[in-house]
């Protein structure tokens, strides 16, 4: 009985984590906060790209540029501001304050969990779906 209860709890936790990844919401967040620089197709050719000193990367190639593994930890830390960036001339603004909220756990490429907001979880799910 104890093993059965453990399996039910594990299934509930897994289902909750999967439900938290809303690709549609991630697409909306991307369109609002990211497309201006990274482009509607996430190819790095947004309308602001020509005037930026550092060009935004093609987000559809994150996996291919990381030996075939989507860099969850790096993406999360870049979006929510945990990765140190210089204040002027940085490749990306810090959006951590915009995406605050209850913390959810994502599994990184190494298998370790990383906590971040639901908005970042949704955005990561959307970006993962764009990979070539």
């Amino acid at each position: 009985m104890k093993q059965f209860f453990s399996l039910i709890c594990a299934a509930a936790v897994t289902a909750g984590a999967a439900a938290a990844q809303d690709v549609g919401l991630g697409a909306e967040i991307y369109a609002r906060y990211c497309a201006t620089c990274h482009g509607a197709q996430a190819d790095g050719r947004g309308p602001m790209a020509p005037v930026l000193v550092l060009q935004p990367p093609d987000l559809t190639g994150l996996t291919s540029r990381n030996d075939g593994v989507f860099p969850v930890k790096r993406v999360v830390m870049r979006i929510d501001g945990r990765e140190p960036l210089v204040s002027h001339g940085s490749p990306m603004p810090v959006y951590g304050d915009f995406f605050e909220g209850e913390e959810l756990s994502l599994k990184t490429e190494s298998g370790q969990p990383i906590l971040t907001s639901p908005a970042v979880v949704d955005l990561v799910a959307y970006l993962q779906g764009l990979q070539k």
Side-chain angles (χ1 to χ4, degrees), residues 4 16 31 35 38 42 59 62 89 94 110 112 118:
F4 178 74
H38 291 282
L59 298 178
L62 293 170
V94 174
S110 69
Q112 295 297 312

Side-chain angles (χ1 to χ4, degrees), residues 64-78:
S64 64
R65 291 191 303 271
N66 194 48
D67 297 324
V69 178
F70 187 81
V72 172
K73 182 178 179 182
R74 189 175 76 220
V75 170
V76 167
M77 291 177 71
R78 178 59 58 99

Side-chain angles (χ1 to χ4, degrees), residues 20-80:
Q21 293 184 336
D22 186 330
V23 175
L25 227 113
E28 291 174 23
I29 292 167
Y30 179 86
R32 182 172 183 182
Y33 293 100
C34 313
T36 303
C37 296
H38 291 282
Q41 304 303 314
D43 56 9
R45 296 186 287 187
M48 287 297 296
V51 299
L52 297 174
V53 173
L54 297 173
Q55 292 300 292
D58 176 351
L59 298 178
T60 66
L62 293 170
T63 297
S64 64
R65 291 191 303 271
N66 194 48
D67 297 324
V69 178
F70 187 81
V72 172
K73 182 178 179 182
R74 189 175 76 220
V75 170
V76 167
M77 291 177 71
R78 178 59 58 99
I79 294 168
D80 71 14

Side-chain angles (χ1 to χ4, degrees), residues 3 5 10 32 43 56 65 73 81 83 88-89 123:
Q3 288 176 334
F5 181 74
R32 182 172 183 182
D43 56 9
R65 291 191 303 271
K73 182 178 179 182
E83 183 175 273
H88 295 287
L123 185 53

